[in-house]
Amino acid sequence: MFPRRTTPPRGRSAYSNGLHPPPPAPQSYDYNHQSLPGVHSFPRRERLPSYEWNPPPSTSTVQPRHMPAMINGRKRQNDQFSAHHVKRQRVDTSRHHLSSPPLIHSRPPHHRTDRAVAQPSRLSRTGFDHSYPGPNLDIRPQVPAVVESSSSLHASTTEKLSCQMVELFEACQQQPSDLERKEVCRARLQQDIQQIFPSARLYLTGSSMNGLGSRCSDADICLVIKGNKKTDALRVLGRLLKLFKTLSYVERNQLIRAKVPILRFREKGSDLEFDLNVNNTVGIRNTFLLRSYAYADLRVRPVILVVKKWARYNNINDASKGTLSSYTLALMVLHYLQTLSEPVLPSLQRDYPESFNPLMNLDMVPEGPKHIPPYISRNQSSLGELLLGFLKYYATDFSWDKQVISVREARAFPKNNSKEWNNKFICVEEPFERNNVARAVHEKLKFDAIKAKFAESCRLLHERKELNSILPFRAIIIKESSRG
């Protein structure tokens, strides 16, 4: 039912030579890909929002301006740095030609009397440049558009499960206002941290920036201090802990002495939680890698978000409690999508090693993906089919005791006797450091619970073909929609 192979075919868009402009963006996207081939192309890297550092603008009032619609654009990072200015993480679209990627118009939606057809998205797909001065600050960060617009995102399908997945995705994906809040706090923190570490640069990483975040996602931050080593992380975090106790806008500071130590804190008066690490720069590298995968195909982000909501509801999405981290789950989904007989995704690291070189200078990491050509998948599976296939793969097909999940190689390779994989219940390779990101699952009881959830959910979803069989999707939508 779900044949698989390890070598994905690749193709190029008709516009990949750059000689002709792409056609206008369609008014609706077909997440089920049952129309013409080529609708799920790998968009050009220059359309990923850029990722760079610049000094703050002047104090003059700047009104928000409307930016061209985009899905992807290249990311880059400004090498210039001054310890005497506040830095801001921003998207700069003014220097790039932004146009919609090559997409085929999907079929018009079928008229239905039930709720199987997903509602239009409530989100903006345009870039934005909002000004929001904070206390004693004049910052105008630009953050990437990671959501779709109400006029362009619509599932034209009669399949109830797929429509429910689209509806859940649209309600729960990270909104521009969520990312703006994180960026405001990041900019203020960087200014304060530079009082004791003048060369510090603070990066938003993880799901906040890779396109896989939801409205309730915490914010991961990497503090980069040149010339500082990972072994100094605890000392640095100890100094930051003292500093943060004096800041009026953060609270609940907690130093966690894990393998990668972090300083956990919360924005005062809100439920926004941050995890700050020091010089764990692999987080910046995998942020750009996962963002490249997230926007390679329209189905990737909805499937990953639904899988994370499912895992959270079933209590198997918390590495601190011996189960799976959200990062591990994302890699598991990407691996599945890579290894179908008609893959949805390629292996970017295998096919374009120079773009994702783990030894690349950190300042060049955002430049890495920009020359990757579009990818065209021939896989026509709907969202519902992919979700069911994902559950089936890990419930019945994957050999947990013999195989290692590798997104880097787009295959499952056999375990060896190395310390990294031997006697581990679940093995998921980190794409750059090549260690086991599922090492938190070290108890057989937790491992058995994870396998049982995959098997039970696969059976229920196969029988009922609707999302409510594996998670209360309507209640989750109501909860997410209530967020400010």
Side-chain angles (χ1 to χ4, degrees):
M1 180 177 178
F2 299 94
R4 326 182 61 78
R5 75 178 184 189
T6 59
T7 306
R10 298 192 303 277
R12 290 177 180 267
S13 163
Y15 296 98
S16 61
N17 57 13
L19 298 178
H20 304 285
Q27 292 303 303
S28 62
Y29 290 167
D30 185 359
Y31 276 95
N32 295 288
H33 294 300
Q34 295 170 354
S35 54
L36 297 175
V39 299
H40 23 35
S41 62
F42 189 78
R44 292 191 182 95
R45 279 303 163 281
E46 64 268 25
R47 292 192 190 96
L48 277 172
S50 58
Y51 187 93
E52 58 183 294
W53 297 83
N54 286 296
S58 64
T59 56
S60 61
T61 302
V62 179
Q63 297 296 326
R65 69 176 186 267
H66 178 75
M67 302 297 289
M70 65 179 178
I71 295 179
N72 282 350
R74 79 181 157 184
K75 305 174 184 179
R76 60 197 181 95
Q77 180 176 329
N78 197 327
D79 293 331
Q80 298 177 350
F81 173 79
S82 169
H84 306 291
H85 295 284
V86 178
K87 302 301 182 294
R88 56 192 175 86
Q89 197 169 19
R90 61 171 289 183
V91 170
D92 186 356
T93 60
S94 60
R95 284 168 287 183
H96 304 294
H97 172 70
L98 295 174
S99 56
S100 300
L103 291 170
I104 305 299
H105 286 270
S106 60
R107 303 186 312 275
H110 296 275
H111 296 287
R112 292 182 57 100
T113 57
D114 58 22
R115 300 190 60 86
V117 177
Q119 300 299 314
S121 171
R122 296 165 286 281
L123 310 174
S124 171
R125 183 177 146 223
T126 60
F128 48 89
D129 181 2
H130 295 274
S131 59
Y132 34 73
N136 305 316
L137 284 176
D138 179 28
I139 60 173
R140 185 165 55 92
Q142 293 175 309
V143 288
V146 295
V147 291
E148 307 293 338
S149 72
S150 59
S151 62
S152 65
L153 180 57
H154 194 279
S156 55
T157 177
T158 58
E159 185 192 353
K160 185 175 183 180
L161 174 58
S162 294
C163 290
Q164 290 174 333
M165 291 176 67
V166 172
E167 190 174 359
L168 184 65
F169 169 67
E170 290 176 345
C172 297
Q173 64 175 329
Q174 180 175 258
Q175 305 246 353
S177 59
D178 303 324
L179 191 50
E180 286 177 359
R181 285 177 57 203
K182 295 174 183 179
E183 167 58 22
V184 169
C185 194
R186 183 210 64 81
R188 295 182 69 186
L189 283 170
Q190 181 168 266
Q191 185 185 45
D192 288 322
I193 291 172
Q194 285 174 349
Q195 302 303 311
I196 57 176
F197 297 109
S199 66
R201 299 170 76 179
L202 207 56
Y203 295 79
L204 273 173
T205 62
S207 61
S208 297
M209 293 299 295
N210 64 23
L212 302 176
S214 63
R215 299 219 66 191
C216 62
S217 294
D218 297 335
D220 295 314
I221 305 181
C222 179
L223 177 66
V224 177
I225 306 176
K226 292 185 177 180
N228 205 283
K229 298 180 180 179
K230 286 185 180 180
T231 52
D232 299 323
L234 282 173
R235 180 183 63 83
V236 171
L237 292 176
R239 293 184 65 183
L240 292 182
L241 181 61
K242 294 180 181 179
L243 170 67
F244 283 16
K245 290 179 180 179
T246 69
L247 301 180
S248 62
Y249 56 93
V250 299
E251 61 183 3
R252 302 189 185 183
N253 306 294
Q254 179 186 9
L255 179 58
I256 299 176
R257 301 171 183 270
K259 182 175 182 180
V260 178
I262 61 173
L263 180 57
R264 179 167 292 169
F265 58 95
R266 183 172 289 190
E267 181 186 46
K268 193 167 186 177
S270 79
D271 58 355
L272 178 57
E273 193 170 83
F274 291 81
D275 286 344
L276 186 152
N277 66 71
V278 178
N279 283 350
N280 186 37
T281 55
V282 69
I284 299 174
R285 298 182 191 279
N286 64 45
T287 293
F288 282 94
L289 176 65
L290 263 64
R291 186 169 178 84
S292 298
Y293 279 120
Y295 289 95
D297 187 282
L298 292 172
R299 296 165 290 181
V300 174
R301 294 169 63 218
V303 172
I304 290 179
L305 185 142
V306 171
V307 166
K308 289 199 293 186
K309 292 295 183 184
W310 163 79
R312 176 65 64 178
Y313 173 71
N314 285 282
N315 298 313
I316 59 170
N317 179 207
D318 190 342
S320 68
K321 296 180 179 178
T323 56
L324 302 168
S325 68
S326 293
Y327 180 45
T328 299
L329 286 165
L331 292 176
M332 290 171 68
V333 175
L334 295 178
H335 164 77
Y336 163 72
L337 296 176
Q338 288 175 324
T339 55
L340 289 162
S341 61
E342 288 290 355
V344 172
L345 296 171
S347 166
L348 294 178
Q349 287 172 286
R350 183 191 61 199
D351 297 344
Y352 307 100
E354 69 286 351
S355 295
F356 299 98
N357 187 337
L359 302 179
M360 184 185 298
N361 186 286
L362 190 63
D363 291 336
M364 295 303 297
V365 169
E367 291 286 310
K370 71 180 183 181
H371 298 301
I372 298 176
Y375 176 79
I376 301 174
S377 171
R378 292 193 294 265
N379 186 298
Q380 298 289 302
S381 299
S382 69
L383 286 176
E385 290 168 339
L386 291 177
L387 178 61
L388 182 55
F390 167 80
L391 294 173
K392 179 182 181 298
Y393 177 58
Y394 289 107
T396 64
D397 300 343
F398 183 75
S399 298
W400 299 97
D401 59 335
K402 297 179 181 179
Q403 294 180 308
V404 176
I405 294 165
S406 176
V407 170
R408 177 179 58 88
E409 296 188 10
R411 69 184 181 99
F413 61 79
K415 285 185 182 181
N416 55 35
N417 292 324
S418 69
K419 182 179 179 181
E420 202 63 62
W421 313 121
N422 194 29
N423 297 322
K424 301 297 189 298
F425 292 112
I426 301 178
C427 296
V428 181
E429 182 191 55
E430 205 291 320
F432 292 100
E433 294 190 331
R434 303 189 187 184
N435 54 17
N436 185 15
V437 297
R439 58 183 175 271
V441 186
H442 55 81
E443 297 178 14
K444 189 175 187 304
L445 189 64
K446 296 292 179 67
F447 172 57
D448 289 341
I450 292 170
K451 288 196 301 179
K453 290 299 181 182
F454 272 98
E456 179 188 22
S457 296
C458 178
R459 177 183 61 80
L460 291 173
L461 197 62
H462 178 73
E463 290 175 356
R464 303 179 190 177
K465 301 295 192 303
E466 70 124 3
L467 206 52
N468 273 324
S469 63
I470 60 172
L471 79 162
F473 97 100
R474 184 64 58 192
I476 293 174
I477 289 175
I478 293 172
K479 181 180 179 180
E480 294 284 350
S481 300
S482 66
R483 292 178 176 268

